[in-house]
Amino acid sequence: MTRDDPLPLYKQVKERLLRALDDGTIPPRAKLASERELVELYGVSRITIRQAMTELVLEGHLRSHPGKGFYPTGRPKGVYELELLRSFTATAVAHGRRPGSRLLTAAQVGAPEEVARALQLSAGEQVISLRRLRLIDDQPVAIAHDWMPAAIVPDILELDWTVPNSSLYAELAGRYGLLPQRGHTILSARLADAEESQLLELPPPAAVLGVEQMAFDANERPLNLTLSTHHPTRYPLRLDQDARTSRSGR
C-alpha cells in the first residue's frame, strides 16, 4: 500500500483482495486471513481493513460469519447482478470494470402507446427517449433505451450524454431528486435484429436477452422505463434470491 497512489488506502486493500479472489490466491471456500493478519500484511490500520471488507461484503464478493470470519461467496467471475435500483455504471465499477457508453439517440418525443401505458401517461404525451450502447472495458455489452416523462426531467437533454461513464440514475438523483424505490423486471430471449447484431458485434443469427425494467419512486410514481438488449456472453446476469425476503404463495 502506498499513499502516493490516488486511490484511498482501503480501496487499494480492496483491489488487492479482489485480485487474490480472482486469481485463486484465496481459494473459493477458504476463510480469509484475520483482521489482525491483514493489518500486518498490508501495513494499514484496522479501520482501513474494515472499510475494504465492508465494501467487498456489500458488493457480494465476501460473506461474513459473525465470530468465524469472512469467506468468499464463490460468485462466478464476470457475472453481473440483476439489480433494478443500481445503475449499469455503478454495477460495472463495483466489479472493478470500466463502464462506458456511446450515444445512439436522444430526443423528446410523443410517447408511443406501450411506453405511455407503462409510464401512466396519455398516448402522445411528451417523453424523453435516451438510447445508448453500453460498454464494459470498451466492449459493447448492451443496448439500453430509457424512457422518462419529460415533465419530471426538464432540460435533461442539455446534459452531455456522450460522456463515456455518464449515469442516468446519478443524474436523476443529483439533479432532480428522483430516487427509485421499487420496480419490476421482465426477462425474455429472442433473436437480435440486424442493427443489434452489428452494435453488439454478434454474427447473425444471434440470441440476445431482453430486459424490461420499470422504476417507481416512494409515491408509486413511474420514473423510468428501460428496455435493454444484452449480449449473451459478455454481460451474463445473475438474480439472487433470499428466503428471508421472498414471499411464498403456498
Side-chain angles (χ1 to χ4, degrees), residues 84-158:
L84 175 66
L85 304 182
R86 184 164 73 169
S87 70
F88 172 90
T89 300
T91 299
V93 170
H95 282 259
R97 310 296 290 274
R98 187 174 69 258
S101 67
R102 193 173 89 215
L103 181 65
L104 300 175
T105 59
Q108 181 170 316
V109 299
E113 184 175 347
E114 290 186 2
V115 172
R117 187 183 307 115
L119 293 175
Q120 299 177 18
L121 302 173
S122 301
E125 195 167 339
Q126 292 295 292
V127 293
I128 300 300
S129 168
L130 180 65
R131 191 164 178 259
R132 293 174 291 169
L133 179 65
R134 308 315 303 264
L135 313 172
I136 287 182
D137 296 338
D138 297 325
Q139 284 193 316
V141 298
I143 302 165
H145 195 167
D146 287 286
W147 300 86
M148 297 153 282
I152 67 174
V153 286
D155 306 322
I156 196 169
L157 291 180
E158 295 180 8

Side-chain angles (χ1 to χ4, degrees), residues 175-219:
R175 182 174 293 265
Y176 303 103
L178 300 175
L179 301 173
Q181 296 296 317
R182 77 159 194 91
H184 60 252
T185 300
I186 299 173
L187 303 177
S188 60
R190 57 178 175 80
L191 291 178
D193 62 28
E195 183 198 27
E196 291 168 339
S197 294
Q198 181 181 16
L199 289 173
L200 294 175
E201 301 176 349
L202 290 167
V208 290
L209 178 65
V211 181
E212 176 183 329
Q213 295 184 300
M214 270 297 308
F216 301 84
D217 67 10
N219 296 317

